[in-house]
Amino acid sequence: WVLLEVYQALCSSIPIVTVHVSGRGYSFDDAKDFLEHLESQLELCNPGAVDEMKQVLSERRDCFSNLQKTLSEVIPGIISVSFDPEGTDNHVEAVVADIVHKWQRRHGVVKSSTS
């Protein structure tokens, strides 16, 4: 369902802020490959999910190939905020501030210098 929600957000021009959690085995290259071959990769790791997603997309008058194309073209290009769960309190506060700042920039929210 997350892939559908991210796709809907992208189609609706809702900004996406991604967070890379350090030390959890995430590979940007593997994720890019997964998205480029989404139908076969998703079916391998979650049998039946592709058919379910196709049904939902059909009800929305959309198709899986549009979802795959959009996700594979956009998601790898989004620069992630890095988060180390073993970091100090200062690190956690800085990451949260960075996430908020990126969200504000992508939403066009200008923070007043007096606040």
Side-chain angles (χ1 to χ4, degrees):
W1 288 107
V2 171
L3 294 174
L4 284 168
E5 294 298 326
V6 170
Y7 174 64
Q8 186 63 47
L10 293 170
C11 290
S12 302
S13 299
I14 297 171
I16 304 292
V17 176
T18 58
V19 177
H20 174 250
V21 180
S22 301
R24 298 301 185 247
Y26 181 81
S27 162
F28 288 100
D29 289 336
D30 289 348
K32 182 178 180 184
D33 184 65
F34 185 89
L35 292 171
E36 288 174 351
H37 304 97
L38 185 59
E39 188 165 356
S40 60
Q41 294 296 317
L42 185 58
E43 194 59 34
L44 284 173
C45 69
N46 192 354
V50 173
D51 288 338
E52 189 173 341
M53 289 175 75
K54 286 180 177 180
Q55 177 63 37
V56 171
L57 289 163
S58 175
E59 291 168 5
R60 297 178 183 178
R61 300 185 193 279
D62 207 339
C63 65
F64 192 86
S65 62
N66 288 344
L67 175 138
Q68 186 272 323
K69 182 177 187 300
T70 299
L71 294 179
S72 67
E73 289 177 353
V74 176
I75 297 299
I78 296 175
I79 298 173
S80 297
V81 174
S82 292
F83 172 67
D84 181 355
E86 303 298 322
T88 65
D89 289 346
N90 288 340
H91 168 74
V92 173
E93 289 175 19
V95 169
V96 171
D98 196 18
I99 292 168
V100 170
H101 178 72
K102 282 187 176 213
W103 182 89
Q104 288 173 333
R105 265 196 355 243
R106 291 185 181 157
H107 271 80
V109 176
V110 180
K111 193 171 181 181
S112 169
S113 60
T114 59
S115 52

